[in-house]
Amino acid sequence: MLVGTAQISSAAAQDDDLEKCILDAASLFDTYKECVSQVISYHAAKVTKPAVIISFAKRQCGVERQNYLKRLTGCMGRDVAQAMFEAEEEGSLEPHLLRLIENAGRQKIHGDKSAPDASDPFQAPMSFQLKDAGRVIEATGVVSEETPEAFEKLIEKAGLRAAQATVRLNSPGGYIAPALKLGRMIRKLGFSTEVGKSADSRPECMSACVFVFLGGVRRAAEVGHLGVHRFYEQLAIDDPDRKAYDSGDLAEVQRLTGELVAYVSEMGADARLVARAANVAADEISHLTGEELRDWRIVLVTLVLTWPNVVPTSFG
C-alpha cells in the first residue's frame, strides 16, 4: 500500500506537535517542582513530619500544578495525563523533597567546622565535670544540640545553687542556638565564666563558645584565648557548589544576626562583637584584642596573665 506525500507530512507534523507539547509540559513540571522545593526549603529545618510539609507545599503550588496538568492533558488526554503526573510525583518529586528535608536536618549553624571526634575531649560533644567541691564546672568540647540539657541535668544532680559556681570553658565552638541557650542558663543561675582547663596546653574559647562565655556574671579570660569568626552552615563547607540558598535563607540569616545582636546586648557586652565576627572567614579564627575585651565589656574582672608570649593587660 502506497502512502501519499500529504499523509506523511501530516503524520510528521502531528509528531512534532506532540513532541513540542510534551517538552512544554516538562518545563511546566519543572516550574512546579521548583515552587514546591522552595516551600520545602523554607520550612524544612523545622519539619518533624515530612508528609505534612510536603502536602502543604503541594497545596501552596496549586497554580503551577494545574498549569502542568492542563498542558499535559492537551497532549494526551485527561486520564493519561493524571496517571503520568502521579507517577512523576511519586517517582522523582517526592524523593527529591525528602532529600531536601534530610539535608536541612544537617544544616546546623556552626562555629567550628571540625566534626566531633569522640577520642578527643576538645573535639567531642561538650562534657561537664565538677571540680573544687562544686565551685568549678569544667566544660570541654563542642557545643551540640544536647549541651544545654546535659548542663541542666548536671546542675540538678549536683544541687548547685545560684551564684555558686564558675563555668570553666575550653571549646572550639559549635552550634549557635544551643550556645545562646547555654549562655542564658548560666546568666539565670548567676554563675561566672572563665577560659581555662587543668591540663598544661593552652585553653581556648572560640566562635560559638564566646557567646556561652558572655553568659557569665563575672567573666575572666586572657588575651589570645577568645576567638571569633562568622557563622555558617555545614553544607556550605561540605558542598560549596550546591544550590541551596533562597529568600527564605536570607530571612533566616537576618533573623539570626538580629538575635545575636540582641543576645550580646542582653549580656551587657557591645554588639560590635557581632560585626567583628562577621568579618572573619568561616575557616579562620581572629583572636580578640585586649582593647576589644576591655572596651566591649567582654571580660569583666582584673586578670594577671600567665601564658608565655602574651602581653599582660588589666580589665576593670
Side-chain angles (χ1 to χ4, degrees):
M1 177 179 176
L2 298 176
V3 179
T5 303
Q7 290 175 301
I8 294 174
S9 298
S10 176
Q14 289 178 358
D15 288 343
D16 289 343
D17 288 345
L18 179 60
E19 182 179 0
K20 183 178 184 302
C21 184
I22 292 174
L23 289 174
D24 289 346
S27 176
L28 290 170
F29 183 82
D30 288 341
T31 301
Y32 169 62
K33 180 178 179 179
E34 179 65 21
C35 175
V36 178
S37 297
Q38 287 187 6
V39 175
I40 291 291
S41 295
Y42 184 72
H43 296 280
K46 300 179 282 291
V47 169
T48 56
K49 297 181 179 179
V52 174
I53 189 61
I54 288 175
S55 177
F56 169 78
K58 290 178 179 178
R59 292 196 302 273
Q60 291 293 104
C61 300
V63 172
E64 290 80 3
R65 180 181 188 275
Q66 289 303 316
N67 287 340
Y68 169 65
L69 272 173
K70 182 177 179 180
R71 183 57 172 160
L72 196 61
T73 298
C75 298
M76 53 196 63
R78 181 177 179 180
D79 292 341
V80 175
Q82 184 66 38
M84 284 187 63
F85 174 71
E86 291 174 357
E88 284 184 285
E89 276 203 319
E90 182 178 350
S92 64
L93 179 61
E94 292 188 5
H96 164 72
L97 299 178
L98 288 172
R99 284 193 298 272
L100 285 181
I101 294 172
E102 181 182 359
N103 286 339
R106 298 197 297 269
Q107 286 184 338
K108 305 299 183 182
I109 301 300
H110 279 246
D112 176 71
K113 69 176 184 179
S114 301
D117 179 1
S119 65
D120 179 0
F122 185 70
Q123 295 293 345
M126 182 170 281
S127 60
F128 301 97
Q129 289 187 335
L130 290 176
K131 300 288 184 177
D132 298 337
R135 290 189 296 271
V136 173
I137 303 170
E138 287 193 348
T140 304
V142 178
V143 180
S144 69
E145 298 286 353
E146 294 75 26
T147 298
E149 183 180 356
F151 181 75
E152 185 176 35
K153 288 180 178 178
L154 174 76
I155 299 302
E156 291 177 355
K157 184 177 180 180
L160 295 179
R161 299 185 302 276
Q164 185 178 2
T166 294
V167 180
R168 182 178 295 157
L169 294 159
N170 185 36
S171 168
Y175 295 162
I176 289 292
L180 302 190
K181 184 175 181 179
L182 180 59
R184 287 191 169 105
M185 293 170 70
I186 291 171
R187 175 59 59 89
K188 185 176 180 180
L189 288 163
F191 288 175
S192 300
T193 53
E194 64 182 35
V195 181
K197 62 179 181 178
S198 57
D200 293 334
S201 57
R202 184 185 183 95
E204 295 182 352
C205 181
M206 305 299 167
S207 192
C209 176
V210 174
F211 295 101
V212 178
F213 176 80
L214 290 179
V217 174
R218 288 167 53 85
R219 304 191 285 265
E222 299 179 1
V223 178
H225 288 191
L226 290 166
V228 295
H229 62 186
R230 69 177 64 112
F231 59 81
Y232 67 95
E233 291 185 344
Q234 183 62 44
L235 284 183
I237 300 295
D238 296 339
D239 187 5
D241 296 326
R242 177 181 179 272
K243 184 180 179 181
Y245 194 84
D246 59 21
S247 58
D249 297 310
L250 177 60
E252 178 64 13
V253 168
Q254 293 181 81
R255 183 202 65 76
L256 180 57
T257 302
E259 184 177 349
L260 288 175
V261 170
Y263 173 85
V264 171
S265 299
E266 176 188 339
M267 296 300 143
D270 195 309
R272 282 180 288 178
L273 173 64
V274 178
R276 174 78 159 80
N279 283 296
V280 181
D283 58 352
E284 298 178 2
I285 283 287
S286 178
H287 292 90
L288 298 172
T289 66
E291 290 75 14
E292 290 168 338
L293 295 178
R294 179 189 64 242
D295 295 346
W296 296 351
R297 302 180 301 281
I298 295 168
V299 168
L300 298 178
V301 299
T302 299
L303 298 174
V304 177
L305 303 186
T306 57
W307 285 100
N309 303 318
V310 177
V311 178
T313 308
S314 295
F315 307 96

